Amino acid sequence: MFERTKQFCDSFLEMGVPGFDLAIYKDGEPALRYGNGCSDIENKVKIQGNERYNIYSCSKLITCAAALQLWERGAFSLEDRLSDYMPEFADMTTRTDGGARRAEKPILIRHLFEMTAGFSYETESPQLMKCREETGGRCQTREAMKYLAREPLLFEPGDRWEYSLCHDVLAALVEVISGERFADYVKRHIFDIAGMKDSTFMLPEEESDTIAAQYAYAEGRVINIGKHITPYKLGREYASGGAGGISTVDDYIKFLEGLRTGLLL
């Protein structure tokens, strides 16, 4: 039944893709699990199916689930102003052709979920670079938002959609409302409940070698960009709600199953 699927995935290797790990589920039951290629080309390490990956934007679903747990408990309303919980977002500015001007609309919490708050995905903006400098490279999740709030918005909150740091802000909001560090909250309320033992938002240094190598296509060839190179981790104490998760395929399936069955919400 899945031979054509396997052949199609195998064709990626001919294109230069280092490796892949595929899982297909139907009604909560595994229908196909197939991997091929290498998790580390240089050391000729074959895909085993238990690799930990930087999951980038797949982190966003986890962050939204964490925030919605708090919403279901009545901890906030989607129509609440973000500044009610994080005061630095009270007096925002927006970019215009004539320079920055004071925003006319407030950022609502629902704007973070929708990605309509007006933020960009500029992780090397002047204020975020200043955050790195002034915190000695720590850039704690909550502290970094105080710097982000000094940057002008791209547009008035709610006016349009923009793929952005909205879910990083949402992670900081989880910290404020729960009183826990975001990575700790997610571990206790999502990872531990779903049995996701290989997932984290803050990887201990001693486990740094457990992540699969990362590759990019540049200058006509596949190059190793290192296991920890990600522009979305602003500092060593920054848990990026939008792109900072580390997980295995099996763990992420446990998360999705936890949502499907209502275990996590």
Side-chain angles (χ1 to χ4, degrees):
M1 178 178 178
F2 289 107
E3 284 309 307
R4 290 180 63 187
T5 302
K6 293 180 180 179
Q7 292 172 11
F8 175 69
C9 291
D10 286 339
S11 70
F12 297 159
L13 304 180
E14 300 170 8
M15 301 176 191
V17 173
F20 63 86
D21 190 350
L22 171 67
I24 298 176
Y25 273 60
K26 184 178 186 298
D27 299 326
E29 297 296 327
L32 174 67
R33 184 62 186 280
Y34 180 57
N36 202 355
C38 293
S39 63
D40 185 328
I41 295 176
E42 290 75 15
N43 293 304
K44 298 180 180 179
V45 179
K46 301 290 290 183
I47 291 287
Q48 301 294 317
N50 60 354
E51 289 79 11
R52 298 172 94 179
Y53 299 102
N54 287 293
I55 62 173
Y56 289 92
S57 285
C58 288
S59 307
K60 291 177 170 64
L61 277 72
I62 298 172
T63 300
C64 287
L68 287 172
Q69 286 179 338
L70 296 170
W71 172 77
E72 286 196 326
R73 295 168 196 160
F76 65 88
S77 165
L78 294 175
E79 300 304 317
D80 286 346
R81 295 187 179 207
L82 177 61
S83 60
D84 291 344
Y85 304 88
M86 302 168 73
E88 63 267 30
F89 290 103
D91 297 307
M92 298 299 293
T93 59
T94 58
R95 298 179 188 177
T96 69
D97 292 338
R101 62 170 175 77
R102 185 170 181 176
E104 297 176 0
K105 300 177 183 178
I107 299 174
L108 306 181
I109 292 180
R110 67 175 172 85
H111 293 149
L112 301 180
F113 286 96
E114 299 168 345
M115 288 210 172
T116 58
F119 298 114
S120 73
Y121 231 137
E122 190 179 353
T123 58
E124 295 188 358
S125 65
Q127 287 299 325
L128 291 181
M129 294 296 287
K130 188 175 183 180
C131 177
R132 293 186 180 98
E133 178 184 349
E134 293 186 351
T135 64
R138 294 191 310 276
C139 290
Q140 295 171 320
T141 306
R142 174 67 185 91
E143 187 68 17
M145 297 303 108
K146 298 175 182 178
Y147 290 83
L148 178 64
R150 300 172 192 168
E151 296 284 356
L153 299 172
L154 299 181
F155 50 85
E156 287 286 337
D159 276 9
R160 63 180 176 86
W161 180 89
E162 178 78 20
Y163 201 60
S164 65
L165 290 167
C166 275
H167 291 169
D168 283 52
V169 181
L170 192 60
L173 180 66
V174 169
E175 287 201 356
V176 172
I177 294 176
S178 70
E180 299 181 62
R181 292 252 179 131
F182 176 70
D184 295 336
Y185 178 91
V186 171
K187 181 182 185 304
R188 195 156 71 91
H189 294 276
I190 293 180
F191 295 160
D192 287 351
I193 291 174
M196 300 167 64
K197 297 181 180 179
D198 292 313
S199 299
T200 182
F201 273 85
M202 292 295 290
L203 187 73
E205 185 64 32
E206 62 270 19
E207 297 180 22
S208 60
D209 290 336
T210 65
I211 308 176
Q214 297 186 107
Y215 296 90
Y217 189 76
E219 300 177 357
R221 61 190 180 93
V222 174
I223 60 172
N224 189 321
I225 61 173
K227 296 183 177 183
H228 315 296
I229 304 300
T230 166
Y232 309 108
K233 186 175 176 63
L234 303 183
R236 61 182 179 274
E237 296 181 22
Y238 185 78
S240 169
I246 292 171
S247 189
T248 63
V249 172
D250 286 338
D251 262 15
Y252 202 79
I253 289 170
K254 291 176 183 177
F255 166 66
L256 297 176
E257 278 296 289
L259 294 182
R260 187 183 72 87
T261 62
L263 176 67
L264 298 176
L265 294 176

